[in-house]
Amino acid sequence: TYKTVEEAQAALCPSYTTIEPDASAAAVYAQMFPIFRQLYFTMGSKDEKPAEMSGILPTLRGIAAAVRRE
């Protein structure tokens, strides 16, 4: 047990970290965001209709290969 609410909160609530986007990777982020969005909204809702996902893995592999070449 803790003596005060503040003591309990300090023990149970970790501090947070802000992560800023890497400006040099903005082009990659722009390619990946539509993929993330499609997956998130398709798999994140039980009422969502099935979505075509056959191109996602090849697209991700292509992005990864391009990044490795840079």
Side-chain angles (χ1 to χ4, degrees):
T1 62
Y2 298 97
K3 295 177 184 175
T4 66
V5 170
E6 290 79 12
E7 185 182 334
Q9 189 172 20
L12 298 173
C13 299
S15 61
Y16 64 90
T17 302
T18 301
I19 300 172
E20 296 293 330
D22 180 355
S24 67
V28 175
Y29 297 155
Q31 289 178 294
M32 292 187 66
F33 183 74
I35 297 167
F36 164 77
R37 191 174 195 290
Q38 177 187 3
L39 290 171
Y40 181 86
F41 286 107
T42 299
M43 297 191 314
S45 173
K46 66 179 180 175
D47 299 324
E48 187 66 33
K49 294 180 178 132
E52 176 59 46
M53 294 191 193
S54 64
I56 291 176
L57 187 56
T59 301
L60 291 174
R61 286 180 173 157
I63 293 168
V67 168
R68 283 193 296 271
R69 284 192 296 271
E70 291 176 2

